Amino acid sequence: MSSSASPLTASSIAARLRAAGCVFAEDEAALLISAAADPGGLAAMVGHRADGLPLEHVLGWAEFCGLRIAVGPGVFVPRRRTEFLVRQAAAAAPVRPVVVDLCCGSGALGAALASLADPAELHAADVDPAAVRWARRNLSGLGQVHEGDLFTPLPRSLRGRVDVLLANVPYVPSDDVGLLPVEARVHEPRVALDGGGDGLDVLRRVAAEAPGWLAPGGSLLVETSERQAARAEEAVGAHGLEPRVVVCDELYATVVIGTRPRTPPGAPTVPAPSPVPGASTPPTVPAPSVAPAPPGG
């Protein structure tokens, strides 16, 4: 007499995921059920997730800035906190910007910024061949994806023309990588996580070369952690960029922005023209005073 396995239900899936350590087990169960093509596929997906595969890899996509970004085994999953980096980039972008996305991973940042800023040109680059394959899929029709180390594969014609330089560099200190959740340390490429001794090695390399690629007034934007912010800001400012730190408490996100000055440091200022003899100088009109807005306005 044969017996068949009990059918998977939302509650039984959630119980299995919760036992495997999934904090949002009920939400994940609903996503898996909606994505599965048949009961056999659902069982396989639940098994993969219970074994520690990132949910996004199991589903085949990650939600980012309202978009579905295709992802799979071997590629870094874009984090929700990084949406703050994209919003800051969109705010800094001029009309029809030239955009570069370094350490692009799946291409999520470039795709999201393209939906917000309508770039005239979009270039993305990553050293990991697997990431490049996913980025080309996600950025198809939006921009060019290059394989290589940081700026190396980019067209030389971009030098001095980049308005927005996104660089979601790895910033986990090497000794801390082993402390990451299993989804990251086992299933995501170490090159996308490990930032060297203090976590800022790659950021320093990007900051050193960024001024030569940025247009006057263009900005480099990088994500870092709260504890690294001061050193990251110093690194960004060490090569002539004007740095500042912005934070989002809601997303627990920290972003360092470095802007290339429109006037090079040390450049002579152009003196105001001397008044023409006999010409009258218009009187100075004081600016009207403005009452401060009430708190919460």
Side-chain angles (χ1 to χ4, degrees), residues 44-124:
M45 294 172 75
V46 172
H48 290 319
R49 181 60 183 132
D51 289 340
L53 195 69
L55 175 67
E56 294 81 1
H57 286 177
V58 177
L59 295 173
W61 55 269
E63 184 175 351
F64 187 77
C65 288
L67 304 176
R68 280 196 175 187
I69 302 298
V71 295
V75 71
F76 181 81
V77 175
R79 307 315 199 236
R80 182 167 178 259
R81 64 174 172 271
T82 307
E83 294 181 2
F84 180 64
L85 176 61
V86 173
R87 291 202 297 268
Q88 293 298 312
V95 176
R96 300 284 289 159
V98 175
V99 174
V100 169
D101 179 8
L102 288 187
C103 305
C104 70
S106 64
L109 277 69
L113 188 57
S115 73
L116 297 173
D118 188 25
E121 290 184 55
L122 170 61
H123 295 263

Side-chain angles (χ1 to χ4, degrees), residues 72-172:
V75 71
F76 181 81
V77 175
R79 307 315 199 236
R80 182 167 178 259
R81 64 174 172 271
T82 307
E83 294 181 2
F84 180 64
L85 176 61
V86 173
R87 291 202 297 268
Q88 293 298 312
V95 176
R96 300 284 289 159
V98 175
V99 174
V100 169
D101 179 8
L102 288 187
C103 305
C104 70
S106 64
L109 277 69
L113 188 57
S115 73
L116 297 173
D118 188 25
E121 290 184 55
L122 170 61
H123 295 263
D126 203 289
V127 71
D128 183 4
V132 168
R133 288 193 295 272
W134 286 103
R136 285 178 175 155
R137 177 175 174 180
N138 287 309
L139 295 176
S140 177
L142 298 175
Q144 300 180 48
V145 181
H146 312 275
E147 182 179 336
D149 184 38
L150 299 182
F151 298 94
T152 303
L154 296 178
R156 299 296 102 179
S157 60
L158 287 173
R159 290 187 63 84
R161 296 180 49 239
V162 178
D163 297 303
V164 176
L165 175 55
L166 288 164
N168 193 23
V169 299
Y171 57 88
V172 179

